[in-house]
Structures are given as C-alpha cells and as structure tokens.
Amino acid sequence: MIFSSKSNLDSELLILTPDQCTTDFQRDWKKLEQESLSGNAFLSPEFVLSLATIRPRDHQPIILACRNRQRNHLIGLGVFDQVNATKALPLPHWISVNCPHSYRSGLLIAENSRTEFYQLLTEFLKEKQDEILGIEFRNLRFNSQWAQELREFTAENRGSFRLLPESESAAVDLRLLPEKGLPEFWSTSRRKSIRKNQNRLSKNGPIQFRLVENKSEFDVALSHFLRLEESSWKGEIGTALQSTQKDQKFIQHLTHQSQSSDYLVISQLLAGEDIVATALNFCSGRELFAFKIAWDDRFVKCSPGILHEVALVDYLISEQLPYDRIDSCSSAGSYLENLWPNRVAIGSGLLCMNKLARGTGKMISQMQLLKRWMTNLT
C-alpha cells in the first residue's frame, strides 16, 4: 500500500510486510537506523526480519516506512501489530510490535526530515482514521527528542500524542563519566565488594574482557552463550533462548543477518581460559543496547554478571569505541541500578488523530493516573 501526501508531493508512505522488503529497501532501512534522531536496536532490519521468521504468515509485523521520492531516501519507519482493543485504547488500532525479546518501541526518524515525517504520519492517520484509530507505543523512551516533538506537532494539528511515564531503566552515558569511571558513583562498600570479587576471580587466571570481532567466531561464541544460559536459572524456568525451537530459530537467524553489519556485539569476560560471563548486545547508531547475559555458575561467588557489566563500560572507554550510551533495557529494580549511574525514562504513548479515539484515550489515561495516585496512598 502507498499513501501520498497532499501537502508535500515529494513524500509517500509505504505499508509493507517483511517479505516485501527488498535488498535495496533493507539497505536504506539500515542507513536510516544508523542516522536516526534516536537509535533503536529493536527496530533494526536484523531484529524485525528475524522476528518475522518465527511468526505465522497471517501475523507478520506491519512496517510503516516514509520516503522522500525526490531524494529516494527513507525519512521514517515504525513496526507495528494490528489489534482490536487494549486497555489503553479499546478500539481497533496499531500497537508497537509485540515480541518478548523487544525491550524498546518507537520510531526511526531521519534527523534532517523530522517535520516532513511528522506531517506525513499525521496526514496518514487522519485519512485512515476509520480504519486505524491510533498508534499505541509500549516501552517507549519517554524523553526521546522525537516523542516530545511529535507531541507538540500533533497538538498543533488537532491531534494528540499522549505520553504516560511508567518506570526508569539503568543506563550509562559514556560522555558524562568522570575520569575515574564508574567507581566515582559507588559507595565505599560497593567498591570494596567489586574489588573483592575481582581478586577472587583472578585466582582462576588473568582477567580479560573482549568483544568478539571476528565474524567467523560468532557461531562458536553464540553456542557458548546459549549453553551457559540454558544451564542457568533461565533454562530451569524456560526463558533461555534454547528453551524453545522458535527462540532458537530467532537468534540463529539474527546472527546470520548480522554477519554483514556491526549490529550484534558479543562480549566475553574471561578468567584464564574460562569464559566466566558473556552477553549479547545490539548496536544502533551510537548506542549499545543490552539484550541477554549469561554466566558460568562455577564462578557464581564472584558475581560474574556484575563484573562483566563493569568491565564492559571500562573496555568501551579504554578502547575509545564509538558509543555514547549503553541502555541496559532492564526492568526497574535491576541490579544494574547499583552499578550504572544514569536512567532512561520509560513509558507508553498513544498517538491519535481521530476525535473519538482521542477522547477515549484521554479518559483512560486519566483513569490510569488516578489509579496510580490511589495506589501510592496505600
């Protein structure tokens, strides 16, 4: 499906399924992601196309892509599912793609074409308001520049983008770290505890940290990660990536998709010859998004997960790698809140250009705020 803008004849909006994404389109998609106003690894072609492989043909993600025809350049993209109703909007609408492995929703937007994209998106929703009564975002980075700008733009154009803060997630802004690094933010007892665990681990051999940079080593590194994760508590409760055939297929396809890009970043903490902890991270723009971590239970007394996350930050700084921030993608209350000093505000968003949907969304939003206020009183 193609929707053309009435106010800007150079702009068009495409509605695609993953199997309609040609090689050229995937290349343009990747370029948009790397140049986007705000990176989002869960909107990358590697992630979305891997997700598509484990979904039935009648339940494929909806890819909304905006293009400037004159420049033949993608200026915006989002990935959604069609739903009949949710608590936020009990009417048919689109929602950020639903996947247990997707920790951030949002939009990819070319920095120099923001207004053009906002205009095209809102025109599309006005034109199709009888079919698509709104777009709901979950796990949205609440303070993203594009989210704040889109809220202002829709308000000026008889629409609404209602944002509701919900929680905070640990992060590290590498540009703001002091010269002495993370320890500057820790308590004395925290510093002693980490130093004690590092000394304990070093008895098994020299401690090293590395990123698996040779793509020919990816399969071996991934197999090691999957084996450690499956043998941990995640395997016991069935949430490890090897616990189901669908998840195995997803991660294998994602690894294959990443062979020609820098998207997948596999990190390893070693003591001598032993891989003590290993993690899968995603790169998007100048950000690193933490995805999964696993460790060898033989070293559990050394807190290998904590030592890995400390070593990761130290390594990125010492090697001067081109990252500005690491998003932990963790839930509120994560152990990373005691290690990483910054926070990412997470919330939900409801974009509506339909009058009925705006009114319904506003009423439900107010009810949610009232419920939260009453909960805080008890």
Side-chain angles (χ1 to χ4, degrees), residues 97 143 146 170 214 271:
V97 67
N143 291 323
W146 71 265
N214 190 334

mmCIF file with all atom_site columns, all heavy atoms in Angstrom, residues 97 143 146 170 214 271:
data_model
loop_
_atom_site.group_PDB
_atom_site.id
_atom_site.type_symbol
_atom_site.label_atom_id
_atom_site.label_alt_id
_atom_site.label_comp_id
_atom_site.label_asym_id
_atom_site.label_entity_id
_atom_site.label_seq_id
_atom_site.pdbx_PDB_ins_code
_atom_site.Cartn_x
_atom_site.Cartn_y
_atom_site.Cartn_z
_atom_site.occupancy
_atom_site.B_iso_or_equiv
_atom_site.pdbx_formal_charge
_atom_site.auth_seq_id
_atom_site.auth_comp_id
_atom_site.auth_asym_id
_atom_site.auth_atom_id
_atom_site.pdbx_PDB_model_num
ATOM 1  N N   . VAL A 1 97  ? 5.199  -3.383  17.870 1.00 0.00 ? 97  VAL A N   1
ATOM 2  C CA  . VAL A 1 97  ? 5.259  -4.825  17.620 1.00 0.00 ? 97  VAL A CA  1
ATOM 3  C C   . VAL A 1 97  ? 5.448  -5.606  18.919 1.00 0.00 ? 97  VAL A C   1
ATOM 4  O O   . VAL A 1 97  ? 6.284  -5.269  19.759 1.00 0.00 ? 97  VAL A O   1
ATOM 5  C CB  . VAL A 1 97  ? 6.375  -5.144  16.597 1.00 0.00 ? 97  VAL A CB  1
ATOM 6  C CG1 . VAL A 1 97  ? 7.748  -4.859  17.170 1.00 0.00 ? 97  VAL A CG1 1
ATOM 7  C CG2 . VAL A 1 97  ? 6.267  -6.568  16.096 1.00 0.00 ? 97  VAL A CG2 1
ATOM 8  N N   . ASN A 1 143 ? 11.487 10.334  27.109 1.00 0.00 ? 143 ASN A N   1
ATOM 9  C CA  . ASN A 1 143 ? 12.079 11.656  26.871 1.00 0.00 ? 143 ASN A CA  1
ATOM 10 C C   . ASN A 1 143 ? 12.820 11.762  25.541 1.00 0.00 ? 143 ASN A C   1
ATOM 11 O O   . ASN A 1 143 ? 13.605 12.688  25.343 1.00 0.00 ? 143 ASN A O   1
ATOM 12 C CB  . ASN A 1 143 ? 13.017 12.021  28.021 1.00 0.00 ? 143 ASN A CB  1
ATOM 13 C CG  . ASN A 1 143 ? 12.261 12.278  29.311 1.00 0.00 ? 143 ASN A CG  1
ATOM 14 O OD1 . ASN A 1 143 ? 11.164 12.832  29.295 1.00 0.00 ? 143 ASN A OD1 1
ATOM 15 N ND2 . ASN A 1 143 ? 12.819 11.860  30.434 1.00 0.00 ? 143 ASN A ND2 1
ATOM 16 N N   . TRP A 1 146 ? 12.278 12.888  19.555 1.00 0.00 ? 146 TRP A N   1
ATOM 17 C CA  . TRP A 1 146 ? 11.192 12.766  18.587 1.00 0.00 ? 146 TRP A CA  1
ATOM 18 C C   . TRP A 1 146 ? 9.827  12.666  19.281 1.00 0.00 ? 146 TRP A C   1
ATOM 19 O O   . TRP A 1 146 ? 8.829  13.192  18.767 1.00 0.00 ? 146 TRP A O   1
ATOM 20 C CB  . TRP A 1 146 ? 11.410 11.552  17.675 1.00 0.00 ? 146 TRP A CB  1
ATOM 21 C CG  . TRP A 1 146 ? 11.224 10.217  18.328 1.00 0.00 ? 146 TRP A CG  1
ATOM 22 C CD1 . TRP A 1 146 ? 12.170 9.416   18.875 1.00 0.00 ? 146 TRP A CD1 1
ATOM 23 C CD2 . TRP A 1 146 ? 9.974  9.527   18.522 1.00 0.00 ? 146 TRP A CD2 1
ATOM 24 N NE1 . TRP A 1 146 ? 11.613 8.272   19.394 1.00 0.00 ? 146 TRP A NE1 1
ATOM 25 C CE2 . TRP A 1 146 ? 10.268 8.317   19.189 1.00 0.00 ? 146 TRP A CE2 1
ATOM 26 C CE3 . TRP A 1 146 ? 8.646  9.813   18.195 1.00 0.00 ? 146 TRP A CE3 1
ATOM 27 C CZ2 . TRP A 1 146 ? 9.281  7.400   19.537 1.00 0.00 ? 146 TRP A CZ2 1
ATOM 28 C CZ3 . TRP A 1 146 ? 7.654  8.900   18.544 1.00 0.00 ? 146 TRP A CZ3 1
ATOM 29 C CH2 . TRP A 1 146 ? 7.983  7.707   19.202 1.00 0.00 ? 146 TRP A CH2 1
ATOM 30 N N   . ALA A 1 170 ? 18.139 1.469   34.054 1.00 0.00 ? 170 ALA A N   1
ATOM 31 C CA  . ALA A 1 170 ? 19.541 1.866   34.231 1.00 0.00 ? 170 ALA A CA  1
ATOM 32 C C   . ALA A 1 170 ? 20.233 2.060   32.887 1.00 0.00 ? 170 ALA A C   1
ATOM 33 O O   . ALA A 1 170 ? 19.949 1.367   31.904 1.00 0.00 ? 170 ALA A O   1
ATOM 34 C CB  . ALA A 1 170 ? 20.280 0.817   35.051 1.00 0.00 ? 170 ALA A CB  1
ATOM 35 N N   . ASN A 1 214 ? 35.761 -10.985 15.203 1.00 0.00 ? 214 ASN A N   1
ATOM 36 C CA  . ASN A 1 214 ? 35.884 -11.811 14.002 1.00 0.00 ? 214 ASN A CA  1
ATOM 37 C C   . ASN A 1 214 ? 34.562 -12.532 13.761 1.00 0.00 ? 214 ASN A C   1
ATOM 38 O O   . ASN A 1 214 ? 34.148 -13.380 14.556 1.00 0.00 ? 214 ASN A O   1
ATOM 39 C CB  . ASN A 1 214 ? 37.028 -12.813 14.182 1.00 0.00 ? 214 ASN A CB  1
ATOM 40 C CG  . ASN A 1 214 ? 37.372 -13.525 12.895 1.00 0.00 ? 214 ASN A CG  1
ATOM 41 O OD1 . ASN A 1 214 ? 36.537 -13.664 11.995 1.00 0.00 ? 214 ASN A OD1 1
ATOM 42 N ND2 . ASN A 1 214 ? 38.610 -13.999 12.787 1.00 0.00 ? 214 ASN A ND2 1
ATOM 43 N N   . ALA A 1 271 ? 38.488 -15.531 32.722 1.00 0.00 ? 271 ALA A N   1
ATOM 44 C CA  . ALA A 1 271 ? 39.489 -15.719 33.781 1.00 0.00 ? 271 ALA A CA  1
ATOM 45 C C   . ALA A 1 271 ? 40.376 -16.849 33.301 1.00 0.00 ? 271 ALA A C   1
ATOM 46 O O   . ALA A 1 271 ? 39.949 -18.004 33.273 1.00 0.00 ? 271 ALA A O   1
ATOM 47 C CB  . ALA A 1 271 ? 38.830 -16.055 35.112 1.00 0.00 ? 271 ALA A CB  1
#
